[in-house]
Amino acid sequence: MSDESYEVEIKVKEILGRGTCGLGIKPGDSWIVKDDWAPNNMCSWAFSIMFPMLQVLRYGGEFPWEDNKDKATLCCIDPNNPVVFELTRIKS
């Protein structure tokens, strides 16, 4: 990993199950992460799940199972309506 820090975009790809989120998050919603804090209007449960992956992308790491080394896909922990998020490292 690098000492350089990148911004990461969080984007909602889809919601599985009944397709609803209790907090009103919906496909197409997005946030930019610039530091260690959860963005405004972001579910704290989802953010806590994705935080380790965000840190890897923010500091130049990658995931061997992802085709694009600047992206990661994950779901929140709601077993009835898991929200699928795509994380994308932003390279200037």
Side-chain angles (χ1 to χ4, degrees):
M1 292 204 305
S2 168
D3 289 337
E4 184 176 4
S5 176
Y6 299 93
E7 293 180 358
V8 175
E9 178 186 33
I10 301 168
K11 187 169 186 176
V12 178
K13 289 181 65 172
E14 64 181 312
I15 303 174
L16 305 174
R18 294 185 310 264
T20 60
C21 168
L23 292 177
I25 291 173
K26 56 193 174 310
D29 287 352
S30 65
W31 302 265
I32 300 294
V33 174
K34 300 178 181 185
D35 50 32
D36 294 341
W37 298 97
N40 289 337
N41 301 315
M42 165 52 101
C43 172
S44 60
W45 289 96
F47 189 77
S48 68
I49 295 298
M50 69 178 71
F51 186 76
M53 295 179 90
L54 281 167
Q55 293 299 82
V56 169
L57 290 174
R58 284 188 59 228
Y59 291 100
E62 56 190 50
F63 301 97
W65 57 84
E66 296 287 354
D67 292 333
N68 183 333
K69 300 305 179 190
D70 291 320
K71 293 189 181 240
T73 303
L74 61 112
C75 290
C76 75
I77 60 172
D78 181 342
N80 298 313
N81 299 289
V83 178
V84 180
F85 294 94
E86 181 176 74
L87 311 179
T88 305
R89 179 175 22 236
I90 300 171
K91 292 186 172 179
S92 304

